[in-house]
Amino acid sequence: MTENNYYVRPVSGVWHVTWNDSAELIGCYSSQHEAEALAKLLARHMHDQGRKAKVHVFEPEVRTPAWMRNRVANQAAA
């Protein structure tokens, strides 16, 4: 049984979702969260059909809470 792999990669400020390292793009999203959610949805669909599937996320975004972003911005302005 072949395994399906979904890849989530940052490319020029957006997140691309591809399948089995093919050059064909499944989707392009502005946030990692959206792209990863689509890849997980597709993998879950494959699992429901009795197939193997994995999601691979490259260079995950470091999430910073809003209060921390505001604090850093205020310190830089001072």
Side-chain angles (χ1 to χ4, degrees), residues 32-49:
Q32 175 191 348
H33 176 73
E34 292 173 316
E36 193 172 347
L38 173 66
K40 286 180 179 179
L41 176 73
L42 294 170
R44 203 167 30 245
H45 177 69
M46 287 293 178
H47 285 289
D48 290 346
Q49 292 182 354

Side-chain angles (χ1 to χ4, degrees), residues 3-24:
E3 187 171 290
N4 296 286
N5 292 288
Y6 295 95
Y7 297 94
V8 179
R9 296 182 175 105
V11 179
S12 300
V14 294
W15 289 85
H16 287 185
V17 179
T18 57
W19 178 63
N20 285 348
D21 263 345
S22 130
E24 188 174 331

Side-chain angles (χ1 to χ4, degrees), residues 16-77:
H16 287 185
V17 179
T18 57
W19 178 63
N20 285 348
D21 263 345
S22 130
E24 188 174 331
L25 185 64
I26 294 174
C28 180
Y29 298 91
S30 59
S31 77
Q32 175 191 348
H33 176 73
E34 292 173 316
E36 193 172 347
L38 173 66
K40 286 180 179 179
L41 176 73
L42 294 170
R44 203 167 30 245
H45 177 69
M46 287 293 178
H47 285 289
D48 290 346
Q49 292 182 354
R51 299 178 182 176
K52 293 183 181 180
K54 287 186 180 178
V55 174
H56 306 275
V57 180
F58 290 80
E59 302 174 31
E61 282 180 330
V62 176
R63 292 204 173 256
T64 306
W67 61 268
M68 184 61 134
R69 287 191 302 265
N70 293 339
R71 179 179 287 172
V72 170
N74 288 339
Q75 287 175 350

